[in-house]
Amino acid sequence: MEELYSKVAEASKFLESKGVKHPEIGIILGTGLGKLAESVQPIEVISYDEIPHFPVSTVESHHGRLIYGELEGKKVLAMQGRFHYYEGYSGTQITFPVRVMHAAGIKHLLISNAAGTVNPNFKKGELMLIDDHINMIPDNPLRGQNDERFGPRFPDMSQPYSKELNSMIKQIASDLGLKINEGVYTPVAGPNLETRAEYRYLRMIGSDAVGMSTAPEVIVANHIGLPCCAISVLTDECDPDNLAPVSIAEILEIAATAEKDLTKIYTELVRRIYSRESQV
Ligand code: HPA
């Protein structure tokens, strides 16, 4: 435990030595969703492999760098590329960057991901604000001895996604005339996509979308008391009675189109979030 705490402190100290000072908002960009990072006026771009104890991204569609800069006048830390369970990382490794960004000073965490929709009313190319999740990734990031300096042994998950941030997002979508669905996200281990029977099961248990990420980071954000929100870009329609083979190229293409709206919403959210001095 001491080990994780000091590793986080070491990584955060390293960021400080690179000029990262009082970042206010952390952003995690999912598969095919790196564009938002291009709106950030960079102050420092730090490759993951430079940061002590940071895992290194193995997925080609992920860049693997941390961008420290300004967006809408706020200091942000944007992760261009994240870590997944299917890459072989443990829950602790996947969520290490969340602890580091928090130690560096962020007060809010904005997450994005690509997901398949199992709700027949949602269409590919649309966005879904995550209201809740059903975590099916086996390795819980809090498994093992708890360090009270991070948070409690049994963190509450009655409202894992910030009510305030979620209502701001809905207001923003309405103000900008953009459609956003709302629903339950279920991450699975991956890396294979689901069988027809699995999609049917996911729908039956109450899922609206299925992906392979996000819940670990959200669990840790709740552990450390960091308000967070997440938006899925719906890249494929998972209808068990009419299932076409999924093409990863198509998923990436749809993610690239839909991320324009995601970028608009998150940029406006960053603008509306009060600064460190006056909390949301
Ligand atoms: N299943 C799991 N993960 C995904 C999917 C899917 O259908 N689409 C995009 N990410």
Side-chain angles (χ1 to χ4, degrees):
M1 268 313 101
E2 184 53 46
E3 214 189 332
L4 179 61
Y5 198 85
S6 49
K7 279 180 179 170
V8 168
E10 202 184 322
S12 150
K13 244 192 167 146
F14 172 80
L15 295 185
E16 209 179 304
S17 79
K18 290 289 254 182
V20 174
K21 284 229 158 51
H22 307 304
E24 295 167 57
I25 296 161
I27 303 171
I28 301 177
L29 300 165
T31 304
L33 302 170
K35 270 262 159 48
L36 177 57
E38 288 169 18
S39 316
V40 176
Q41 300 282 326
I43 298 171
E44 198 66 54
V45 177
I46 306 158
S47 173
Y48 291 164
D49 56 16
E50 286 180 63
I51 310 171
H53 314 297
F54 238 64
V56 175
S57 198
T58 67
V59 190
E60 260 179 57
S61 44
H62 286 235
H63 280 292
R65 58 193 184 189
L66 189 63
I67 298 162
Y68 171 60
E70 276 203 20
L71 183 62
E72 296 294 318
K74 305 264 167 45
K75 295 278 193 309
V76 302
L77 269 176
M79 283 179 69
Q80 209 173 17
R82 64 135 62 85
F83 306 105
H84 305 83
Y85 179 75
Y86 64 73
E87 294 176 82
Y89 299 117
S90 68
T92 308
Q93 287 176 304
I94 292 166
T95 54
F96 184 76
V98 175
R99 297 193 187 279
V100 173
M101 290 192 288
H102 182 249
I106 64 161
K107 301 287 185 264
H108 301 92
L109 179 63
L110 281 42
I111 302 174
S112 68
N113 63 44
T117 172
V118 291
N119 182 330
N121 299 319
F122 299 174
K123 301 296 168 211
K124 62 182 173 189
E126 293 180 353
L127 301 178
M128 186 188 90
L129 175 63
I130 302 182
D131 170 55
D132 207 346
H133 71 228
I134 301 170
N135 184 24
M136 291 180 71
I137 298 177
D139 189 24
N140 191 296
L142 307 182
R143 187 170 160 270
Q145 210 183 328
N146 185 55
D147 189 327
E148 291 283 332
R149 288 172 294 183
F150 283 125
R153 170 74 292 187
F154 301 109
D156 178 64
M157 289 292 276
S158 58
Q159 187 75 59
Y161 299 82
S162 160
K163 231 181 178 150
E164 286 84 356
L165 292 175
N166 277 18
S167 58
M168 285 171 80
I169 288 169
K170 284 185 272 186
Q171 186 60 51
I172 288 166
S174 150
D175 292 349
L176 300 181
L178 301 172
K179 181 183 167 98
I180 192 159
N181 303 294
E182 192 173 5
V184 174
Y185 172 79
T186 300
V188 294
N192 60 285
L193 290 135
E194 290 65 41
T195 64
R196 286 165 294 149
E198 285 166 343
Y199 283 131
R200 200 171 285 120
Y201 165 78
L202 288 164
R203 182 66 189 147
M204 272 168 53
I205 63 168
S207 318
D208 295 295
V210 53
M212 303 174 192
S213 68
T214 303
E217 292 98 323
V218 170
I219 289 170
V220 165
N222 278 266
H223 187 226
I224 58 187
L226 174 65
C228 65
C229 61
I231 296 176
S232 293
V233 169
L234 303 174
T235 52
D236 51 306
E237 291 164 16
C238 313
D239 173 3
D241 299 320
N242 195 13
L243 193 61
V246 169
S247 140
I248 296 302
E250 195 195 348
I251 285 184
L252 294 177
E253 194 184 312
I254 291 179
T257 312
E259 81 168 323
K260 292 185 183 91
D261 287 354
L262 172 82
T263 301
K264 283 184 199 157
I265 292 175
Y266 269 171
T267 304
E268 181 60 15
L269 180 63
V270 168
R271 197 182 71 76
R272 291 190 193 185
I273 287 177
Y274 299 134
S275 62
R276 278 176 300 124
E277 289 71 32
S278 48
Q279 297 291 309
V280 158

